[in-house]
Amino acid sequence: QVQLVESGGGLVQAGGSLRLFCAASGLPFRSYAVAWFRQAPGKEREFVAAISWSTSNTYYLSSVKGRFTMSRDNNKNTVYLQMNSLKPEDTAVYYCAADRQTGTKASGYVYWGQGTQVTVSS
């Protein structure tokens, strides 16, 4: 059974940092692209970042580029999202997703985690 488990969310003040974790099991991790999406109340689910399986190339939402950094450790079957200089508009539930192809659309990902809440106060 495929499982993606996120952790690391929390409440921080604007300008602070958080590191999110996504632990994967039940799939050949090295052959899957992994992405982070977020969804705020009343908003559509939004692409945040992705990392490919073949080259570990990373892709970012323009508004987080330079502040967020995504990486993966294939030996630990874990993906990370380092979030710095957080802003109140970053507040959302953050979801980890995996699929064989890298993409920026939520509909392109088959496997999803349960989400972790990130709240940034002003």
Side-chain angles (χ1 to χ4, degrees):
Q1 185 175 32
V2 174
Q3 282 192 284
L4 301 176
V5 181
E6 302 102 327
S7 61
L11 193 158
V12 297
Q13 293 185 359
S17 298
L18 285 173
R19 193 182 192 195
L20 304 185
F21 304 78
C22 175
S25 62
L27 77 168
F29 184 77
R30 287 178 172 82
S31 298
Y32 276 76
V34 183
W36 289 97
F37 292 81
R38 66 187 183 187
Q39 188 164 23
K43 302 292 184 180
E44 296 293 321
R45 190 164 296 186
E46 179 182 44
F47 169 80
V48 177
I51 188 164
S52 67
W53 67 266
S54 58
T55 61
S56 292
N57 287 342
T58 52
Y59 309 87
Y60 299 96
L61 175 69
S62 60
S63 63
V64 309
K65 192 172 184 179
R67 299 189 296 121
F68 292 8
T69 302
M70 190 173 182
S71 60
R72 67 189 296 166
D73 186 338
N74 289 336
N75 292 328
K76 296 181 178 179
N77 289 354
T78 301
V79 162
Y80 310 90
L81 184 67
Q82 179 66 45
M83 305 187 295
N84 298 325
S85 302
L86 284 161
K87 304 175 181 180
E89 51 262 44
D90 295 318
T91 295
V93 177
Y94 283 69
Y95 297 92
C96 178
D99 207 284
R100 288 190 175 274
Q101 297 186 66
T102 312
T104 59
K105 296 184 180 298
S107 60
Y109 288 84
V110 174
Y111 303 110
W112 291 83
Q114 80 289 347
T116 185
Q117 177 70 48
V118 172
T119 303
V120 185
S121 62
S122 58

